Amino acid sequence: MSWMLVWWPLALALGLYAAGHALLHKRDPRSAWGWMGLSLMLPLAGPLIYFLMGVNRVNTRAHRMRPPRRALGRGVGLDHRSDARHHREHQRPVVPAGFRQVARTVDVITRRPLLAGNTLQPLHNGEEAFPRMLAAIDAAQESVLLASYIFDVDVIGERFIAALAKARVRGVRVCVLVDGYAELSLRRRRASRRLTAEGVEVLRFHPPTLLPPSLHLNLRNHRKLLIVDGQLGYTGGMNISHRHMALDPQNPVPETDLHFELRGPIVQQLAEAFADDWRYSGGNACPCPPEPTEAAIEGAACRVITDGPNEDLGQLTLVLMSAFASARKRIRIMTPYFLPPRELVAALETAVMRGVKVEIVLPSRSDLEKVRRAMRHTLGELVLRGLRIYYQPPPFAHGKLLMIDGEYAQIGSANMDPRSLRLNFELVVEVYDAGFALQLNQHFEAVRKRSHQVRQQELRRQPLRTRLVDAFWWLFSPYL
C-alpha cells in the first residue's frame, strides 16, 4: 500500500507534465490531443514514449546543436535584402515571368541567393549514376564529401568503399556522413566500420544511444550528396545500394530512381549544406568551395532548399505552396510516398479549380505496404476533386520530381509526406530552366503513358475490409 501511495502521485505528475509540454509545444492540435491523451491514459509509459519520440524534442535538440549557416544573412528575422548586398556578384538571374514572385518568396524563406550558370544532367537508376559518381571520386584531387541516408555494404557499397579509400591514400580529404538510424538496421552491415578501418573520416548523423539516452528515431538525415573538389555535385533520390541497379537480373529488390549531376555555382550551396550536417554530427571543418567571384550568365538558375526539424522547419512546405499558387497550366508530381498535409492538398485542389492540370504518378508497388495503404485511402478525395492520379507498374519507383508549367522544377531527396516535410533533414534544388524542365517532362510523360490512371469507381469497388485497413494505417500517417 505504501508503494502505491508513492507510485500514483509520481505517475500522475509525470503524465500531467508531459501533457502540459505537448499542449505548449505542439503546432498541430490533433497531434497535441494525441500526445496528451497518451500521456494521461498511460501515466508512466505515455510520458516515456512522448519524451523519447515526441517531435518537439527533435526541434529543441536541433536548434541547440546545429550551428548557424556559414553564409551571411541567415539569422532569423534578418531582412533578406541584406543578403543581396553581401552577394553583389550574384545578381538576380532572369527567371520566367510567371515565377518571379516564387523566386522572391523563396528568397525570403531560404535566405539563399538564386544562382545562374548551372548545368544539370539527369541520371537514370544506378546504371547511369554510380559509374559517374565513382569516376568522379577516382578523379578527385582535393576533397570528396559524401552523405547518404543508406550506405549498404553490398556489391555497390564495396565499390564506393574501395574508391573512397583509394582517394584518401592519394591525399584527398574524404568526409563521409551516414544516418545513424538507417545504419542501425539489423539488415545492414555497418559501412561506417568498414570506412573507419580504411582510414576514411566517417561520422554517423545522430545515432541512437542508450547512455546518454538518445532513442529519438525521427531525427534522420535523408539527404543524398556527393561533392567532389567543390566543382562537381550529385544529389537526388539514390542511396548507396545495389537495389538501384534496376536492370541487374541479380538484384532481388530492384528500384528505379533518379539522380542528378550538377556543375556551377550551385555546388557551393550543396557543400555548405554538407558542412552544416558534418559540424552538427561532431566533425571539424570540412572543405567548402569559395563563392564564385564572377556572376555566371549561361545555364540554369538554381537554389538549394533545406528542410528539417530545426530552423528550416516548414520551409519546403511554404515553397511548395508558393509554387503551386503560381501554376497556370500544369503541375506534375512523381513521388514514392504521397501523404501531403492538408494545406498542400488544398493548394493542389485550388489549382485544379483554376484550370490547372494536376498529374501525380505513384508506384503501384511500394517497399512500405502500410504507407501504400494509407496513401490509397486519401486518393478518393483527390480524384473526386479532379486531380489525375496514376500508378506506374513495377518495379518500385523511388524517384522524386516536381515540374510546373514547363519552366520550373524541383529535384532532391524529399518525398511529399509528413516524414519528409516535418521530421527528416531533406534537401531539394529548385531549377528555373525550360530546357531542363523539358527533359524531366519527357521522362514523366514516358512513365505516365505506361501507367494506370486511378478512377473513382475503382476505389469504390475495394472490399470493405481493404478500405478499413487502409483507413487504419492512414490514422498513423503523420508517423509512417
Side-chain angles (χ1 to χ4, degrees):
M1 179 65 70
S2 59
W3 179 80
M4 293 291 292
L5 292 176
V6 175
W7 163 261
W8 281 110
L10 177 61
L12 180 61
L14 287 173
L16 289 172
Y17 179 81
H21 191 277
L23 178 63
L24 289 175
H25 295 285
K26 289 295 176 182
R27 297 188 179 189
D28 188 331
R30 295 167 298 180
S31 177
W33 274 113
W35 284 115
M36 290 168 64
L38 181 69
S39 299
L40 294 175
M41 292 174 65
L42 300 174
L44 188 60
L48 179 62
I49 294 172
Y50 173 68
F51 285 112
L52 288 178
M53 301 190 68
V55 177
N56 281 347
R57 184 171 178 270
V58 177
N59 194 14
T60 301
R61 181 178 177 85
H63 272 294
R64 184 175 66 249
M65 294 180 62
R66 198 175 185 86
R69 298 195 191 104
R70 191 187 71 168
L72 297 173
R74 302 287 165 84
V76 175
L78 185 62
D79 188 342
H80 74 287
R81 289 172 294 185
S82 64
D83 283 351
R85 289 194 295 269
H86 288 96
H87 293 276
R88 296 183 188 276
E89 67 276 15
H90 299 309
Q91 299 300 319
R92 180 186 296 279
V94 176
V95 300
F99 292 93
R100 290 171 185 165
Q101 186 58 53
V102 176
R104 286 192 289 268
T105 301
V106 185
D107 281 347
V108 178
I109 293 172
T110 67
R111 297 172 296 279
R112 286 190 178 96
L114 184 64
L115 304 176
N118 302 285
T119 59
L120 302 94
Q121 176 65 45
L123 303 173
H124 296 268
N125 305 321
E127 281 81 0
E128 291 188 4
F130 293 150
R132 298 282 284 264
M133 296 167 71
L134 288 166
I137 295 172
D138 288 339
Q141 297 180 1
E142 297 179 3
S143 64
V144 174
L145 313 178
L146 173 64
S148 185
Y149 176 62
I150 293 172
F151 196 135
D152 279 334
V153 184
D154 53 22
V155 62
I156 295 298
E158 291 287 1
R159 292 177 189 173
F160 274 87
I161 291 171
L164 293 166
K166 289 179 181 177
R168 185 200 67 80
V169 171
R170 295 197 309 270
V172 176
R173 174 80 185 278
V174 180
C175 302
V176 178
L177 182 65
V178 295
D179 183 75
Y181 171 83
E183 198 177 51
L184 187 67
S185 171
L186 297 178
R187 297 175 299 168
R188 298 186 176 92
R189 294 160 58 198
R190 294 192 178 182
S192 62
R193 291 179 178 174
R194 288 290 313 282
L195 290 164
T196 300
E198 296 288 348
V200 175
E201 292 182 69
V202 57
L203 293 174
R204 291 190 296 159
F205 188 95
H206 197 259
T209 59
L210 292 177
L211 292 174
S214 178
L215 301 180
H216 206 297
L217 304 182
N218 288 327
L219 188 58
R220 306 180 192 176
N221 190 329
H222 195 242
R223 298 167 183 170
K224 290 90 173 174
L225 291 169
L226 173 62
I227 302 104
V228 177
D229 292 341
Q231 304 298 317
L232 179 61
Y234 295 85
T235 192
M238 290 192 210
N239 297 291
I240 306 300
S241 175
H242 183 238
R243 70 179 66 185
H244 296 302
M245 301 295 289
L247 304 181
D248 188 346
Q250 302 301 317
N251 185 357
V253 284
E255 296 182 5
T256 62
D257 210 331
L258 276 170
H259 224 55
F260 298 87
E261 182 180 273
L262 300 90
R263 296 178 185 270
I266 191 63
V267 176
Q268 186 218 4
Q269 292 188 355
L270 296 177
E272 287 178 354
F274 180 94
D276 281 351
D277 293 340
W278 185 257
R279 290 194 299 269
Y280 173 79
S281 302
N284 53 15
C286 63
C288 197
E291 293 189 24
T293 56
E294 296 182 2
I297 300 175
E298 299 296 329
C302 301
R303 172 171 27 215
V304 163
I305 302 168
T306 51
D307 195 279
N310 60 341
E311 69 274 5
D312 293 337
L313 181 64
Q315 286 195 162
L316 185 54
T317 298
L318 292 174
V319 172
L320 289 170
M321 291 180 66
S322 176
F324 292 161
S326 72
R328 294 297 177 264
K329 298 178 181 178
R330 175 175 286 171
I331 297 174
R332 285 181 151 178
I333 298 170
M334 183 181 291
T335 181
Y337 312 116
F338 187 73
L339 287 166
R342 290 305 307 176
E343 56 266 32
L344 290 184
V345 172
L348 290 171
E349 292 176 347
T350 303
V352 171
M353 296 175 190
R354 294 198 311 270
V356 176
K357 186 177 182 180
V358 178
E359 298 172 302
I360 303 171
V361 172
L362 309 174
S364 59
R365 179 186 298 171
S366 178
D367 62 337
L368 298 173
E369 179 63 15
K370 57 184 179 293
V371 176
R372 186 185 70 85
R373 286 183 168 275
M375 287 165 51
R376 186 166 60 187
H377 178 73
T378 67
L379 298 185
E381 173 195 346
L382 302 178
V383 173
L384 184 63
R385 292 290 190 182
L387 282 74
R388 304 184 187 192
I389 312 294
Y390 299 87
Y391 277 144
Q392 62 174 303
F396 172 56
H398 192 250
K400 312 107 172 28
L401 289 177
L402 168 66
M403 295 85 71
I404 300 178
D405 290 350
E407 296 178 318
Y408 178 87
Q410 283 185 15
I411 60 173
S413 65
N415 304 302
M416 208 165 287
D417 67 349
R419 180 160 295 283
S420 277
L421 297 176
R422 290 196 59 83
L423 300 178
N424 289 345
F425 288 93
E426 302 281 5
L427 182 146
V428 302
V429 178
E430 64 168 0
V431 184
Y432 300 80
D433 184 75
F436 180 69
L438 176 62
Q439 288 182 280
L440 300 186
N441 273 297
Q442 289 172 340
H443 170 69
F444 186 98
E445 184 64 17
V447 173
R448 187 195 66 80
K449 285 182 176 179
R450 64 174 186 265
S451 300
H452 163 69
Q453 185 171 357
V454 180
R455 305 288 183 180
Q456 189 72 25
Q457 304 91 309
E458 172 187 342
L459 296 171
R460 289 174 177 171
R461 285 197 300 265
Q462 293 289 337
L464 176 61
R465 180 180 180 278
T466 298
R467 286 183 282 139
L468 286 173
V469 174
D470 291 353
F472 171 79
W473 285 116
W474 169 77
L475 289 174
F476 297 92
S477 56
Y479 310 103
L480 295 178

